[in-house]
Structure formats: C-alpha cells, structure tokens
Amino acid sequence: MSTARGYTTHDAARMFDEPTKGGGLPGSAQPRRSPYARDRARVLHSAALRRLAGKTQVVGPGEGTEVYGVPRTRLTHSLEVAQIGREVAEELGCDPDIVDTAGLAHDIGHPPFGHNGESALDAAAADYGGFEGNAQTLRILTRLEHKAGDAGLNLTRAVLDASVKYPWPRTAGTRKFGVYEDDRAVFDWIREGAPERRCCLEAQVMDWSDDVAYSVHDVEDGIRAGRISLGVLADAEERAAVAELAAKHFSAEPFSELEAGAAHLLDLPAVAAAVGYDGSIGAQVALKRLTSELVGRFAAAAVGETRRVHGDGQLVRYSADLVVPRQAAVEVALLKSVALRYVMSDPARLAMQDRQRQLLTELLTALGERAPDVLEPAFQPAWRDAGDDTQRFRVLIDQVASLTDAQAVAWHEAFVRSR
C-alpha cells in the first residue's frame, strides 16, 4: 500500500507499535506530522545527537581556538549534512525528512576523538566483533538511545535504512561495515525486501552530502586557520602530492586525471578568489562564497546527472541510484586530500592522536576491571545480563563510545591516572 510521496506502509513501519500520545489538552488538535517528520524530531531531540557537540570533527571542540576560532564539531557537521541532503532530496523527489534525519544521525555512532577514536576502539575490540562508527550508529538508534524501551528510538524502516551506509556485517578484509552480529535481528528487519548490499537512494544522497560537507568545510576551516592556502595547487610538486593522496585514500581514478583535476580547481573563479586569504572582511566574504559555490556545484552535479539517467519522475528508495559525475567526484576527492595533507598530517596532530588512542585503550581496561559499578546506570543492566566476555566487552565499548572528548579525558583522569 502507498503512503505520501511514493512510499509504502512497509517503508513507514516501526518495529514496535506505539500507544497514542495522551498528554494533549482537552479539545486540542493532534499534530499532522508524517512518520518521517516524527523520526526527524526524535533524532533532533536525542542525547546522542547533542553529544556530538563535544566530539571531534577535524580538531577537537575548543582545541586551538586561538587559531581555528570556532571550529566545526561533529554536531555542526551533521547539521550541514542534513541541510545539503534535504535540498538534494527535494530535487529528486525523495522525502526530505527521511534524508534530513539520516544526515542528522549519520555520525551519531562516532566515539571520542572522531575517526582516531574509532581506530582505537576497533583495535581494542578486534577479538570481540570490532568497532565501526556506522554499526554503532545503528546500535544507538535501535537500542541505546532510550525512548521506546528496547527499540531505541523506534524509527521507521525507511529512515533506518537511509542511515545505513554499509548494509552488510563485518567480513574479513573489509574495514567498513554497518551492523554488529548481536544487532542482526533489527538489521534484517530494516533490510527486508532490499537488494543485498545495495544502499537505498536516500542513503546514497546522505552519503554524497557527507562527502560534500566535509570536503568543502574541512578546507574552509583549514584556510581560516592559516593551515591551508589553495595557492599551493599552482605548484606542480604540491599538485602531485595532493593527487597521490587522493589516489591512495579517496578515488579509484587514474593519478593523471587527479593531478589534472587539481590544476583545474584553480580555474574556478571562486577558488581563485579565495587564494591569499588574510582574514579581512573581503577575504571572509570570498571564503564563504567559495564554500557556498562548491557545495552548490557538487549537489547540483549529482541531481543533474541522476535526472539525466533516471528521468523526471519521483525517485525514492530502490527505484534509482544516485549518479555522481566523474568530475565532481574527482574534485571532492582532491579537496579531501588537501585537508589531509595540510591539516590532518601535521606531526604535532599525529602525536596527539597517538596519545588519544592510548587514552581510550587504557580507559577500556580500567573500566573492565571495575565494571559494572563505574559504568553509567543505563549500561549496568546490560553488563549484568551479559552471557560471555564478548557481550561484556561490547558494553564497555558502548560506554566509552558514548563519551564526549572531554568526558573521555575526565574519565581517564578518574579511573586510570588516579590509580
């Protein structure tokens, strides 16, 4: 059966039925929200989303404010992904609330210290199912963020599916995955009727919006902090270094095409205008114009190419795939590489990241020795009910992953350094 905007009752289903709200005043009208608008509100009001304000995007919250000013956090990044995704969804005919919610939720599973913390927890949990931020996102949405008992936020199937970037379990030789083994039941319910290992269109829109947001905005933050000058792309050696990073980490395109793409970036008027950023009002205006034009360029490119391939109808769920033009994908990969080379590869930052990984590893050990009493009350029942070491270690991972950067440091001070 169909519902609004081409979606079906199957898409709008929740794992558990919910009672009608009973808190309204006598005679008051019931809200006329779609199920997907309700889901957006649930994620927007969740504690897990709020915690992202204290988690690293590129630099940590409050880190180097004398240089970076007010850097992006995981929360502001997620808001930007949601906004970009919503606009793309409206152009393609997807329900904008589904994509918006997936954008808000896509990084909810990130632990303290961003991808660096993710690496530390994955190494620590290697014998217990590993750690992956996207699998943790699914776990939070369906289990750990308590609104509907054991169902987490009890979101609709379509919204949960849109939040799954990697619709497969952990497999040997694959770093990315979207579900832990003990969450397979809810994963199988979400993926009922979906093609194996294929993301729905809404998830693809969210994923491209994520790429666009962090490729453009990380460069913006780096320019504002004086760490990045786009003028370096005029230098042949620097272009080659950036292209090499793109080929290694972000793109399967030939090195020669990536190198040529790096040179052509400076041909864009908005990029050229941002060269030589000095913090003046005029420079700030040029930098904002750069980010606005690049975000618009990449979003419009995907919309236009997808429409060219799939036509003008309403595109939802598995009726189409997002099509990203090659040039846009190359340019996004190059921008990611610029941020990687000039910001994230700084020796002082790499040394700090070593300390952060050690901190999380030591904290896991200390909590394991003193659990369950030192765990937050919400995690203690799961520890006591755990049937084996794997389940107990997963509780420790859930606890540590939930902490903000500052909380992780404070807990380490309390449970490790004070011993």
Side-chain angles (χ1 to χ4, degrees):
M1 182 183 299
S2 295
T3 59
R5 303 183 68 95
Y7 293 86
T8 68
T9 53
H10 176 82
D11 301 325
R14 302 181 190 276
M15 279 203 77
F16 297 95
D17 293 333
E18 298 180 358
T20 303
K21 288 185 176 180
L25 291 172
S28 60
Q30 291 296 318
R32 291 179 144 185
R33 294 183 297 171
S34 75
Y36 311 124
R38 291 177 65 194
D39 284 357
R40 180 181 181 276
R42 292 181 182 194
V43 173
L44 189 63
H45 290 281
S46 67
L49 183 67
R50 292 195 300 275
R51 282 194 292 268
L52 295 184
K55 296 193 180 188
T56 297
Q57 173 63 11
V58 173
V59 299
E63 175 194 338
T65 52
E66 70 282 358
V67 175
Y68 284 90
V70 184
R72 285 174 167 87
T73 65
R74 283 282 160 187
L75 177 59
T76 57
H77 165 70
S78 298
L79 295 173
E80 289 165 338
V81 172
Q83 184 270 325
I84 295 168
R86 187 176 192 92
E87 292 194 3
V88 173
E90 288 174 340
E91 292 293 329
L92 296 178
C94 305
D95 188 295
D97 283 320
I98 293 178
V99 178
D100 192 326
T101 307
L104 291 173
H106 82 285
D107 270 352
I108 272 180
H110 267 276
F113 314 126
H115 289 294
N116 187 45
E118 187 176 20
S119 297
L121 296 188
D122 185 48
D127 295 332
Y128 303 100
F131 180 87
E132 214 290 328
N134 296 280
Q136 194 71 15
T137 290
L138 180 65
R139 189 171 178 84
I140 290 169
L141 295 177
T142 61
R143 184 193 293 242
L144 300 180
E145 181 70 29
H146 301 288
K147 177 180 173 63
D150 294 335
L153 292 176
N154 200 29
L155 304 178
T156 61
R157 178 183 276 113
V159 163
L160 288 170
D161 200 20
S163 304
V164 176
K165 289 174 63 172
Y166 307 109
W168 53 81
R170 186 189 190 209
T171 54
T174 302
R175 169 66 187 88
K176 296 293 187 179
F177 59 96
V179 59
Y180 302 122
E181 280 304 314
D182 56 350
D183 294 322
R184 282 296 295 270
V186 67
F187 176 81
D188 290 342
W189 177 85
I190 294 166
R191 298 289 296 171
E192 184 179 319
E196 187 174 359
R197 297 179 71 90
R198 178 183 168 192
C199 290
C200 63
L201 176 60
E202 293 83 354
Q204 295 175 48
V205 171
M206 175 271 288
D207 195 19
W208 177 241
S209 301
D210 184 24
D211 279 353
V212 170
Y214 84 74
S215 65
V216 174
H217 295 142
D218 287 0
V219 168
E220 179 193 351
D221 282 352
I223 291 173
R224 195 178 298 278
R227 298 291 183 89
I228 294 174
S229 172
L230 293 174
V232 299
L233 295 177
D235 181 90
E237 289 187 7
E238 289 300 312
R239 283 200 307 273
V242 168
E244 185 176 353
L245 284 174
K248 181 178 180 180
H249 297 288
F250 306 119
S251 178
E253 299 297 337
F255 171 80
S256 58
E257 182 162 341
L258 292 164
E259 190 176 26
H264 290 317
L265 276 176
L266 286 176
D267 294 336
L268 298 175
V271 175
V275 172
Y277 177 85
D278 60 6
S280 65
I281 292 176
Q284 291 184 47
V285 170
L287 183 57
K288 275 301 176 187
R289 183 180 299 119
L290 168 68
T291 59
S292 178
E293 291 200 11
L294 287 179
V295 168
R297 175 184 179 85
F298 299 142
V303 169
E305 190 67 4
T306 302
R307 283 299 189 192
R308 187 188 69 79
V309 172
H310 294 291
D312 295 330
Q314 189 171 33
L315 305 178
V316 303
R317 299 285 279 148
Y318 294 95
S319 65
D321 288 309
L322 190 73
V323 185
V324 177
R326 192 176 190 181
Q327 182 176 352
V330 163
E331 290 175 0
V332 164
L334 289 167
L335 289 171
K336 292 180 186 177
S337 300
V338 167
L340 177 60
R341 177 165 174 78
Y342 301 109
V343 178
M344 289 172 267
S345 297
D346 177 71
R349 175 163 300 282
L350 295 177
M352 179 186 69
Q353 290 179 335
D354 285 342
R355 294 193 297 272
Q356 290 171 342
R357 290 193 297 273
Q358 181 180 357
L359 180 153
L360 292 181
T361 303
E362 291 174 350
L363 180 56
L364 278 169
T365 300
L367 293 181
E369 292 170 351
R370 301 171 68 172
D373 293 343
V374 295
L375 304 179
E376 291 177 338
F379 294 104
Q380 292 181 16
W383 175 275
R384 294 189 177 100
D385 294 342
D388 54 34
D389 288 344
T390 295
Q391 292 178 358
R392 279 185 285 272
F393 199 84
R394 183 59 58 192
V395 177
L396 297 179
I397 289 287
D398 289 341
Q399 172 68 87
V400 172
S402 75
L403 301 176
T404 65
D405 293 11
Q407 286 176 320
V409 172
W411 281 45
H412 184 269
E413 179 72 27
F415 299 125
V416 178
R417 298 188 64 182
S418 64
R419 287 191 299 180

